[in-house]
Amino acid sequence: MLVDAMEFECEAAALEELAHLDAKLLINCTSVGMHPKVDATPVPAEYIKPDMTVFDTIYNPAETLLLKQAKAKGAKTINGITMFVNQAAAQFKLFTGQSASTDLMRKVVVDRLRC
């Protein structure tokens, strides 16, 4: 993880060091908080700051505990459905040569999650 961050000239830290990290972007790429364990979060709420953007790649549930806590702190949030839909649209374009309707894709994903 730290090698990847250095490659992009970013600072990174292990979870136990997050309290000391002055981050503007927090990305959760783990399964912590995914259905059915929706009461879990990988980052304690006290580490989230209002000037952060918090991106959780989990899409089920669409609003994880991490994102709820980030919103409560005033941070900007991005949910996993955004990544899921845009990744699918890029794949669709590669396979078909045509642009996909991300609005339709988002609706289908959200509707399926409600089932």
Side-chain angles (χ1 to χ4, degrees), residues 24-37:
K24 300 294 181 213
L25 175 64
L26 188 151
I27 304 172
N28 175 33
C29 296
T30 73
S31 60
V32 177
M34 184 181 285
H35 179 78
K37 297 181 180 180

Side-chain angles (χ1 to χ4, degrees), residues 92-112:
F92 185 86
K93 175 88 173 174
L94 285 171
F95 288 126
T96 67
Q98 298 176 23
S99 295
S101 169
T102 54
D103 290 338
L104 176 60
M105 288 180 157
R106 183 171 285 103
K107 181 183 180 331
V108 169
V109 170
V110 170
D111 288 349
R112 292 291 296 160

Side-chain angles (χ1 to χ4, degrees), residues 10-12 18 20-27 47-55 70 74-78:
C10 295
E11 186 178 349
L18 280 179
H20 308 292
L21 187 63
D22 185 26
K24 300 294 181 213
L25 175 64
L26 188 151
I27 304 172
Y47 296 165
I48 301 170
K49 299 175 184 92
D51 64 339
M52 283 182 164
T53 297
V54 178
F55 174 29
K76 179 180 178 184
T77 61
I78 305 168

